[in-house]
Amino acid sequence: MTATLVVGIDGGGTGNRALAHARKLAKLIGDCEIVVAFVIEWSPFSFHSAEENAVRHKRREEEISAAKARIVEPALETLRQAGFAARGVVRHGNVADCLNDIAVEEGADQIVVARSSDGGFAARVFGSVTASLVMTAAVPVTVVG
């Protein structure tokens, strides 16, 4: 039976550390698939007109496409070149909730994330998000320093 690891990346150095650790785990496990997940923080709790919602939906789709091309696909290419089975997922929403949802949907055995980020948006995302994820995840969470 294939094991599945979900790796939350942030597009920076901490995401690279989480990916490196996932590679080590996958190598130890043997039959393992790595699901690379990038979450664009987004709240559905704002009210807009129909026109604003249409623009927001279009912008959301553009952000997902850009994240796949600029962040997820390069990570997947690196993993595949090293011989790992890998797929990517990009979502909008609460980061901890989305990572947990992805893990449940994928039947993952573990989530791998970084403890803290290099700064900016990523610091906000992988600071309190990591704590929230550890407290609420449906599967074990490995936090990489």
Side-chain angles (χ1 to χ4, degrees), residues 38-91:
F38 181 81
V39 180
I40 302 165
E41 196 170 31
W42 179 79
S43 172
F45 301 111
S46 56
F47 300 96
H48 302 282
S49 68
E51 294 81 18
E52 289 169 324
N53 282 336
V55 169
R56 188 176 187 196
H57 178 73
K58 182 176 188 247
R59 186 175 55 240
R60 181 177 165 188
E61 294 304 314
E62 289 168 351
E63 289 173 348
I64 288 172
S65 179
K68 283 180 183 175
R70 294 180 187 151
I71 298 167
V72 174
E73 285 302 325
L76 292 175
E77 183 61 28
T78 299
L79 290 169
R80 290 177 184 144
Q81 285 179 359
F84 295 99
R87 291 183 295 113
V89 178
V90 177
R91 297 256 175 97

Short mmCIF file of all heavy atoms in Angstrom, two decimals, residues 38-91:
data_model
loop_
_atom_site.label_atom_id
_atom_site.label_comp_id
_atom_site.label_asym_id
_atom_site.label_seq_id
_atom_site.Cartn_x
_atom_site.Cartn_y
_atom_site.Cartn_z
N PHE A 38 -0.09 24.09 -1.80
CA PHE A 38 0.10 25.52 -1.60
C PHE A 38 -1.27 26.12 -1.39
O PHE A 38 -2.18 25.91 -2.19
CB PHE A 38 0.78 26.16 -2.80
CG PHE A 38 1.03 27.63 -2.65
CD1 PHE A 38 2.12 28.10 -1.93
CD2 PHE A 38 0.15 28.56 -3.19
CE1 PHE A 38 2.35 29.46 -1.78
CE2 PHE A 38 0.37 29.91 -3.04
CZ PHE A 38 1.47 30.37 -2.33
N VAL A 39 -1.43 26.87 -0.31
CA VAL A 39 -2.72 27.47 0.01
C VAL A 39 -2.60 28.99 -0.03
O VAL A 39 -1.74 29.57 0.63
CB VAL A 39 -3.23 27.02 1.39
CG1 VAL A 39 -4.58 27.66 1.70
CG2 VAL A 39 -3.33 25.50 1.45
N ILE A 40 -3.48 29.59 -0.80
CA ILE A 40 -3.55 31.05 -0.88
C ILE A 40 -4.58 31.48 0.15
O ILE A 40 -5.76 31.11 0.05
CB ILE A 40 -3.99 31.50 -2.29
CG1 ILE A 40 -3.00 30.98 -3.34
CG2 ILE A 40 -4.12 33.02 -2.34
CD1 ILE A 40 -3.52 31.07 -4.77
N GLU A 41 -4.12 32.21 1.15
CA GLU A 41 -5.02 32.62 2.23
C GLU A 41 -6.13 33.48 1.66
O GLU A 41 -5.89 34.45 0.95
CB GLU A 41 -4.24 33.38 3.30
CG GLU A 41 -4.98 33.49 4.59
CD GLU A 41 -4.12 34.02 5.71
OE1 GLU A 41 -3.21 34.81 5.45
OE2 GLU A 41 -4.38 33.63 6.85
N TRP A 42 -7.36 33.11 1.99
CA TRP A 42 -8.53 33.76 1.41
C TRP A 42 -9.71 33.54 2.32
O TRP A 42 -9.90 32.43 2.84
CB TRP A 42 -8.79 33.15 0.03
CG TRP A 42 -9.97 33.69 -0.69
CD1 TRP A 42 -10.05 34.85 -1.39
CD2 TRP A 42 -11.25 33.06 -0.84
NE1 TRP A 42 -11.28 34.99 -1.94
CE2 TRP A 42 -12.04 33.90 -1.62
CE3 TRP A 42 -11.79 31.87 -0.37
CZ2 TRP A 42 -13.35 33.60 -1.95
CZ3 TRP A 42 -13.10 31.56 -0.70
CH2 TRP A 42 -13.86 32.42 -1.49
N SER A 43 -10.51 34.54 2.52
CA SER A 43 -11.69 34.41 3.37
C SER A 43 -12.95 34.54 2.54
O SER A 43 -13.10 35.49 1.77
CB SER A 43 -11.70 35.48 4.45
OG SER A 43 -12.93 35.44 5.15
N PRO A 44 -13.88 33.60 2.70
CA PRO A 44 -15.15 33.70 1.98
C PRO A 44 -16.13 34.63 2.69
O PRO A 44 -17.22 34.86 2.21
CB PRO A 44 -15.66 32.26 2.02
CG PRO A 44 -15.12 31.72 3.29
CD PRO A 44 -13.76 32.37 3.44
N PHE A 45 -15.75 35.19 3.83
CA PHE A 45 -16.67 35.96 4.66
C PHE A 45 -16.63 37.46 4.37
O PHE A 45 -16.45 38.26 5.26
CB PHE A 45 -16.39 35.70 6.14
CG PHE A 45 -16.51 34.25 6.48
CD1 PHE A 45 -15.38 33.52 6.80
CD2 PHE A 45 -17.73 33.61 6.45
CE1 PHE A 45 -15.48 32.17 7.10
CE2 PHE A 45 -17.84 32.26 6.74
CZ PHE A 45 -16.71 31.54 7.07
N SER A 46 -16.80 37.81 3.13
CA SER A 46 -16.96 39.22 2.77
C SER A 46 -18.08 39.29 1.75
O SER A 46 -18.29 38.37 0.96
CB SER A 46 -15.66 39.80 2.24
OG SER A 46 -15.19 39.07 1.15
N PHE A 47 -18.79 40.37 1.79
CA PHE A 47 -19.97 40.50 0.96
C PHE A 47 -19.71 41.49 -0.16
O PHE A 47 -19.20 42.58 0.06
CB PHE A 47 -21.16 40.94 1.82
CG PHE A 47 -21.46 39.97 2.91
CD1 PHE A 47 -20.95 40.16 4.19
CD2 PHE A 47 -22.21 38.84 2.66
CE1 PHE A 47 -21.22 39.25 5.20
CE2 PHE A 47 -22.47 37.92 3.66
CZ PHE A 47 -21.98 38.13 4.94
N HIS A 48 -20.08 41.08 -1.37
CA HIS A 48 -19.85 41.89 -2.56
C HIS A 48 -21.07 41.83 -3.46
O HIS A 48 -21.91 40.93 -3.34
CB HIS A 48 -18.64 41.37 -3.35
CG HIS A 48 -17.38 41.35 -2.56
ND1 HIS A 48 -16.64 42.47 -2.31
CD2 HIS A 48 -16.71 40.34 -1.97
CE1 HIS A 48 -15.59 42.16 -1.59
NE2 HIS A 48 -15.60 40.87 -1.37
N SER A 49 -21.10 42.72 -4.42
CA SER A 49 -22.14 42.68 -5.44
C SER A 49 -21.85 41.51 -6.38
O SER A 49 -20.77 40.92 -6.35
CB SER A 49 -22.16 43.99 -6.22
OG SER A 49 -20.97 44.10 -6.99
N ALA A 50 -22.79 41.21 -7.24
CA ALA A 50 -22.61 40.12 -8.21
C ALA A 50 -21.41 40.40 -9.11
O ALA A 50 -20.63 39.50 -9.43
CB ALA A 50 -23.87 39.94 -9.05
N GLU A 51 -21.24 41.67 -9.50
CA GLU A 51 -20.12 42.04 -10.37
C GLU A 51 -18.78 41.85 -9.63
O GLU A 51 -17.82 41.34 -10.19
CB GLU A 51 -20.25 43.49 -10.85
CG GLU A 51 -21.42 43.75 -11.77
CD GLU A 51 -22.75 43.93 -11.02
OE1 GLU A 51 -22.74 44.20 -9.79
OE2 GLU A 51 -23.79 43.79 -11.66
N GLU A 52 -18.74 42.28 -8.37
CA GLU A 52 -17.53 42.12 -7.57
C GLU A 52 -17.20 40.64 -7.36
O GLU A 52 -16.04 40.24 -7.42
CB GLU A 52 -17.67 42.80 -6.21
CG GLU A 52 -17.65 44.32 -6.31
CD GLU A 52 -18.05 44.97 -5.00
OE1 GLU A 52 -18.91 44.45 -4.29
OE2 GLU A 52 -17.48 46.02 -4.71
N ASN A 53 -18.21 39.82 -7.15
CA ASN A 53 -17.99 38.37 -6.99
C ASN A 53 -17.44 37.75 -8.26
O ASN A 53 -16.59 36.87 -8.20
CB ASN A 53 -19.27 37.67 -6.54
CG ASN A 53 -19.53 37.85 -5.07
OD1 ASN A 53 -18.62 38.09 -4.29
ND2 ASN A 53 -20.79 37.73 -4.69
N ALA A 54 -17.93 38.20 -9.42
CA ALA A 54 -17.43 37.67 -10.69
C ALA A 54 -15.95 38.02 -10.86
O ALA A 54 -15.16 37.18 -11.26
CB ALA A 54 -18.26 38.22 -11.86
N VAL A 55 -15.59 39.27 -10.54
CA VAL A 55 -14.20 39.69 -10.64
C VAL A 55 -13.35 38.92 -9.64
O VAL A 55 -12.24 38.46 -9.94
CB VAL A 55 -14.08 41.22 -10.42
CG1 VAL A 55 -12.62 41.63 -10.25
CG2 VAL A 55 -14.73 41.97 -11.56
N ARG A 56 -13.86 38.76 -8.44
CA ARG A 56 -13.14 38.04 -7.39
C ARG A 56 -12.90 36.59 -7.80
O ARG A 56 -11.82 36.04 -7.60
CB ARG A 56 -13.95 38.11 -6.10
CG ARG A 56 -13.24 37.56 -4.92
CD ARG A 56 -14.09 37.77 -3.68
NE ARG A 56 -13.33 37.39 -2.51
CZ ARG A 56 -13.85 37.15 -1.34
NH1 ARG A 56 -15.14 37.28 -1.15
NH2 ARG A 56 -13.10 36.80 -0.33
N HIS A 57 -13.92 35.96 -8.40
CA HIS A 57 -13.77 34.57 -8.85
C HIS A 57 -12.70 34.48 -9.95
O HIS A 57 -11.85 33.58 -9.92
CB HIS A 57 -15.11 34.03 -9.36
CG HIS A 57 -15.02 32.65 -9.89
ND1 HIS A 57 -14.86 31.55 -9.06
CD2 HIS A 57 -15.00 32.16 -11.16
CE1 HIS A 57 -14.79 30.45 -9.79
NE2 HIS A 57 -14.86 30.80 -11.06
N LYS A 58 -12.73 35.42 -10.89
CA LYS A 58 -11.73 35.42 -11.96
C LYS A 58 -10.33 35.61 -11.38
O LYS A 58 -9.38 34.91 -11.76
CB LYS A 58 -12.03 36.52 -12.97
CG LYS A 58 -11.08 36.55 -14.15
CD LYS A 58 -11.47 37.59 -15.16
CE LYS A 58 -10.63 37.46 -16.38
NZ LYS A 58 -9.74 38.54 -16.62
N ARG A 59 -10.18 36.55 -10.43
CA ARG A 59 -8.89 36.80 -9.80
C ARG A 59 -8.42 35.56 -9.04
O ARG A 59 -7.25 35.19 -9.08
CB ARG A 59 -8.98 38.01 -8.87
CG ARG A 59 -7.64 38.40 -8.28
CD ARG A 59 -7.69 39.67 -7.44
NE ARG A 59 -8.68 39.58 -6.39
CZ ARG A 59 -9.73 40.40 -6.25
NH1 ARG A 59 -9.93 41.38 -7.12
NH2 ARG A 59 -10.58 40.26 -5.26
N ARG A 60 -9.35 34.91 -8.39
CA ARG A 60 -9.03 33.68 -7.64
C ARG A 60 -8.47 32.61 -8.58
O ARG A 60 -7.47 31.96 -8.28
CB ARG A 60 -10.29 33.20 -6.93
CG ARG A 60 -10.11 31.97 -6.11
CD ARG A 60 -11.42 31.65 -5.42
NE ARG A 60 -11.36 30.29 -4.93
CZ ARG A 60 -12.36 29.65 -4.42
NH1 ARG A 60 -13.52 30.22 -4.31
NH2 ARG A 60 -12.23 28.43 -4.00
N GLU A 61 -9.11 32.41 -9.70
CA GLU A 61 -8.64 31.42 -10.68
C GLU A 61 -7.27 31.79 -11.23
O GLU A 61 -6.42 30.93 -11.44
CB GLU A 61 -9.67 31.26 -11.81
CG GLU A 61 -10.99 30.67 -11.36
CD GLU A 61 -10.85 29.33 -10.66
OE1 GLU A 61 -10.11 28.46 -11.17
OE2 GLU A 61 -11.47 29.14 -9.60
N GLU A 62 -7.04 33.09 -11.46
CA GLU A 62 -5.74 33.55 -11.95
C GLU A 62 -4.65 33.30 -10.90
O GLU A 62 -3.54 32.89 -11.23
CB GLU A 62 -5.80 35.04 -12.30
CG GLU A 62 -6.61 35.32 -13.55
CD GLU A 62 -6.90 36.80 -13.74
OE1 GLU A 62 -6.63 37.62 -12.83
OE2 GLU A 62 -7.43 37.14 -14.82
N GLU A 63 -4.98 33.54 -9.62
CA GLU A 63 -4.01 33.29 -8.54
C GLU A 63 -3.67 31.82 -8.43
O GLU A 63 -2.51 31.46 -8.23
CB GLU A 63 -4.58 33.79 -7.20
CG GLU A 63 -4.64 35.30 -7.08
CD GLU A 63 -5.36 35.76 -5.83
OE1 GLU A 63 -6.02 34.92 -5.15
OE2 GLU A 63 -5.27 36.95 -5.51
N ILE A 64 -4.66 30.96 -8.57
CA ILE A 64 -4.42 29.52 -8.51
C ILE A 64 -3.51 29.09 -9.66
O ILE A 64 -2.54 28.36 -9.47
CB ILE A 64 -5.74 28.73 -8.52
CG1 ILE A 64 -6.44 28.89 -7.17
CG2 ILE A 64 -5.50 27.25 -8.84
CD1 ILE A 64 -7.85 28.30 -7.12
N SER A 65 -3.80 29.58 -10.84
CA SER A 65 -2.99 29.24 -12.01
C SER A 65 -1.54 29.73 -11.84
O SER A 65 -0.59 29.00 -12.14
CB SER A 65 -3.61 29.87 -13.26
OG SER A 65 -2.86 29.57 -14.39
N ALA A 66 -1.38 30.95 -11.36
CA ALA A 66 -0.03 31.49 -11.15
C ALA A 66 0.73 30.70 -10.09
O ALA A 66 1.91 30.42 -10.26
CB ALA A 66 -0.12 32.97 -10.76
N ALA A 67 0.06 30.35 -9.00
CA ALA A 67 0.72 29.57 -7.94
C ALA A 67 1.15 28.21 -8.44
O ALA A 67 2.24 27.73 -8.11
CB ALA A 67 -0.20 29.43 -6.74
N LYS A 68 0.31 27.58 -9.25
CA LYS A 68 0.69 26.28 -9.84
C LYS A 68 1.94 26.42 -10.68
O LYS A 68 2.88 25.64 -10.56
CB LYS A 68 -0.46 25.72 -10.68
CG LYS A 68 -1.57 25.11 -9.90
CD LYS A 68 -2.66 24.58 -10.82
CE LYS A 68 -3.82 24.04 -10.02
NZ LYS A 68 -4.93 23.62 -10.89
N ALA A 69 1.95 27.42 -11.55
CA ALA A 69 3.06 27.60 -12.48
C ALA A 69 4.35 28.04 -11.79
O ALA A 69 5.43 27.54 -12.12
CB ALA A 69 2.68 28.61 -13.56
N ARG A 70 4.25 28.95 -10.82
CA ARG A 70 5.45 29.56 -10.24
C ARG A 70 5.98 28.83 -9.01
O ARG A 70 7.18 28.92 -8.72
CB ARG A 70 5.17 31.00 -9.86
CG ARG A 70 4.90 31.87 -11.05
CD ARG A 70 4.61 33.29 -10.63
NE ARG A 70 4.19 34.07 -11.78
CZ ARG A 70 3.37 35.10 -11.72
NH1 ARG A 70 2.91 35.50 -10.56
NH2 ARG A 70 3.04 35.75 -12.81
N ILE A 71 5.11 28.15 -8.28
CA ILE A 71 5.54 27.56 -7.01
C ILE A 71 5.43 26.04 -7.01
O ILE A 71 6.39 25.34 -6.71
CB ILE A 71 4.73 28.17 -5.84
CG1 ILE A 71 5.00 29.68 -5.76
CG2 ILE A 71 5.05 27.47 -4.52
CD1 ILE A 71 4.05 30.43 -4.87
N VAL A 72 4.27 25.52 -7.36
CA VAL A 72 4.03 24.08 -7.24
C VAL A 72 4.73 23.28 -8.33
O VAL A 72 5.39 22.28 -8.03
CB VAL A 72 2.52 23.78 -7.20
CG1 VAL A 72 2.25 22.29 -7.22
CG2 VAL A 72 1.89 24.42 -5.95
N GLU A 73 4.60 23.68 -9.57
CA GLU A 73 5.20 22.90 -10.67
C GLU A 73 6.72 22.79 -10.55
O GLU A 73 7.27 21.71 -10.76
CB GLU A 73 4.79 23.46 -12.03
CG GLU A 73 3.36 23.13 -12.42
CD GLU A 73 3.05 21.63 -12.47
OE1 GLU A 73 3.93 20.83 -12.86
OE2 GLU A 73 1.92 21.27 -12.09
N PRO A 74 7.44 23.87 -10.21
CA PRO A 74 8.89 23.70 -10.02
C PRO A 74 9.23 22.71 -8.90
O PRO A 74 10.17 21.92 -9.03
CB PRO A 74 9.37 25.12 -9.67
CG PRO A 74 8.37 26.02 -10.31
CD PRO A 74 7.06 25.29 -10.18
N ALA A 75 8.45 22.73 -7.82
CA ALA A 75 8.68 21.78 -6.72
C ALA A 75 8.42 20.36 -7.20
O ALA A 75 9.19 19.43 -6.90
CB ALA A 75 7.80 22.11 -5.53
N LEU A 76 7.35 20.17 -7.96
CA LEU A 76 7.02 18.84 -8.47
C LEU A 76 8.10 18.34 -9.44
O LEU A 76 8.47 17.17 -9.40
CB LEU A 76 5.66 18.86 -9.18
CG LEU A 76 4.45 19.08 -8.31
CD1 LEU A 76 3.19 19.21 -9.16
CD2 LEU A 76 4.30 17.96 -7.29
N GLU A 77 8.58 19.22 -10.28
CA GLU A 77 9.62 18.83 -11.24
C GLU A 77 10.87 18.35 -10.52
O GLU A 77 11.46 17.34 -10.89
CB GLU A 77 9.94 20.00 -12.17
CG GLU A 77 10.94 19.66 -13.25
CD GLU A 77 10.47 18.55 -14.19
OE1 GLU A 77 9.24 18.38 -14.37
OE2 GLU A 77 11.34 17.82 -14.72
N THR A 78 11.25 19.06 -9.47
CA THR A 78 12.42 18.66 -8.68
C THR A 78 12.21 17.29 -8.05
O THR A 78 13.10 16.43 -8.07
CB THR A 78 12.71 19.71 -7.58
OG1 THR A 78 12.97 20.96 -8.22
CG2 THR A 78 13.90 19.32 -6.73
N LEU A 79 11.04 17.08 -7.48
CA LEU A 79 10.74 15.78 -6.87
C LEU A 79 10.73 14.66 -7.91
O LEU A 79 11.30 13.59 -7.68
CB LEU A 79 9.38 15.82 -6.16
CG LEU A 79 9.31 16.66 -4.89
CD1 LEU A 79 7.86 16.83 -4.45
CD2 LEU A 79 10.14 16.02 -3.79
N ARG A 80 10.11 14.90 -9.04
CA ARG A 80 10.02 13.87 -10.08
C ARG A 80 11.40 13.53 -10.65
O ARG A 80 11.69 12.36 -10.91
CB ARG A 80 9.06 14.32 -11.18
CG ARG A 80 7.63 14.35 -10.71
CD ARG A 80 6.70 14.88 -11.78
NE ARG A 80 5.34 14.98 -11.28
CZ ARG A 80 4.50 15.93 -11.61
NH1 ARG A 80 4.85 16.89 -12.47
NH2 ARG A 80 3.28 15.96 -11.11
N GLN A 81 12.23 14.55 -10.83
CA GLN A 81 13.58 14.30 -11.34
C GLN A 81 14.39 13.46 -10.37
O GLN A 81 15.27 12.72 -10.78
CB GLN A 81 14.30 15.62 -11.63
CG GLN A 81 13.83 16.31 -12.87
CD GLN A 81 14.55 17.62 -13.12
OE1 GLN A 81 15.41 18.05 -12.34
NE2 GLN A 81 14.21 18.29 -14.21
N ALA A 82 14.06 13.55 -9.09
CA ALA A 82 14.75 12.76 -8.07
C ALA A 82 14.11 11.38 -7.91
O ALA A 82 14.54 10.59 -7.06
CB ALA A 82 14.74 13.49 -6.73
N GLY A 83 13.09 11.09 -8.72
CA GLY A 83 12.49 9.76 -8.71
C GLY A 83 11.28 9.58 -7.80
O GLY A 83 10.84 8.45 -7.59
N PHE A 84 10.73 10.67 -7.28
CA PHE A 84 9.58 10.56 -6.39
C PHE A 84 8.27 10.72 -7.15
O PHE A 84 8.19 11.50 -8.10
CB PHE A 84 9.64 11.62 -5.29
CG PHE A 84 10.80 11.45 -4.36
CD1 PHE A 84 11.95 12.20 -4.52
CD2 PHE A 84 10.76 10.53 -3.32
CE1 PHE A 84 13.04 12.05 -3.67
CE2 PHE A 84 11.83 10.36 -2.47
CZ PHE A 84 12.97 11.12 -2.65
N ALA A 85 7.26 9.98 -6.72
CA ALA A 85 5.91 10.17 -7.24
C ALA A 85 5.34 11.41 -6.56
O ALA A 85 5.35 11.50 -5.33
CB ALA A 85 5.04 8.96 -6.94
N ALA A 86 4.87 12.38 -7.34
CA ALA A 86 4.41 13.63 -6.74
C ALA A 86 3.28 14.25 -7.56
O ALA A 86 3.25 14.14 -8.78
CB ALA A 86 5.57 14.61 -6.63
N ARG A 87 2.37 14.88 -6.83
CA ARG A 87 1.28 15.65 -7.42
C ARG A 87 1.16 16.96 -6.67
O ARG A 87 1.64 17.08 -5.55
CB ARG A 87 -0.06 14.91 -7.30
CG ARG A 87 -0.15 13.68 -8.15
CD ARG A 87 -1.51 12.99 -8.07
NE ARG A 87 -1.77 12.46 -6.73
CZ ARG A 87 -2.73 12.92 -5.91
NH1 ARG A 87 -3.49 13.92 -6.26
NH2 ARG A 87 -2.90 12.38 -4.72
N GLY A 88 0.48 17.94 -7.27
CA GLY A 88 0.33 19.24 -6.63
C GLY A 88 -1.12 19.64 -6.48
O GLY A 88 -1.96 19.26 -7.28
N VAL A 89 -1.36 20.44 -5.44
CA VAL A 89 -2.69 20.98 -5.17
C VAL A 89 -2.53 22.43 -4.76
O VAL A 89 -1.67 22.76 -3.95
CB VAL A 89 -3.38 20.21 -4.01
CG1 VAL A 89 -4.74 20.80 -3.70
CG2 VAL A 89 -3.49 18.73 -4.31
N VAL A 90 -3.37 23.30 -5.32
CA VAL A 90 -3.42 24.70 -4.91
C VAL A 90 -4.85 25.01 -4.52
O VAL A 90 -5.78 24.67 -5.25
CB VAL A 90 -2.97 25.66 -6.04
CG1 VAL A 90 -3.10 27.11 -5.60
CG2 VAL A 90 -1.55 25.36 -6.47
N ARG A 91 -5.02 25.65 -3.37
CA ARG A 91 -6.35 25.99 -2.88
C ARG A 91 -6.36 27.41 -2.34
O ARG A 91 -5.34 27.97 -2.00
CB ARG A 91 -6.76 25.07 -1.72
CG ARG A 91 -6.88 23.62 -2.07
CD ARG A 91 -8.34 23.22 -2.20
NE ARG A 91 -8.45 21.85 -2.66
CZ ARG A 91 -8.64 20.81 -1.87
NH1 ARG A 91 -8.76 20.99 -0.56
NH2 ARG A 91 -8.74 19.60 -2.37
#
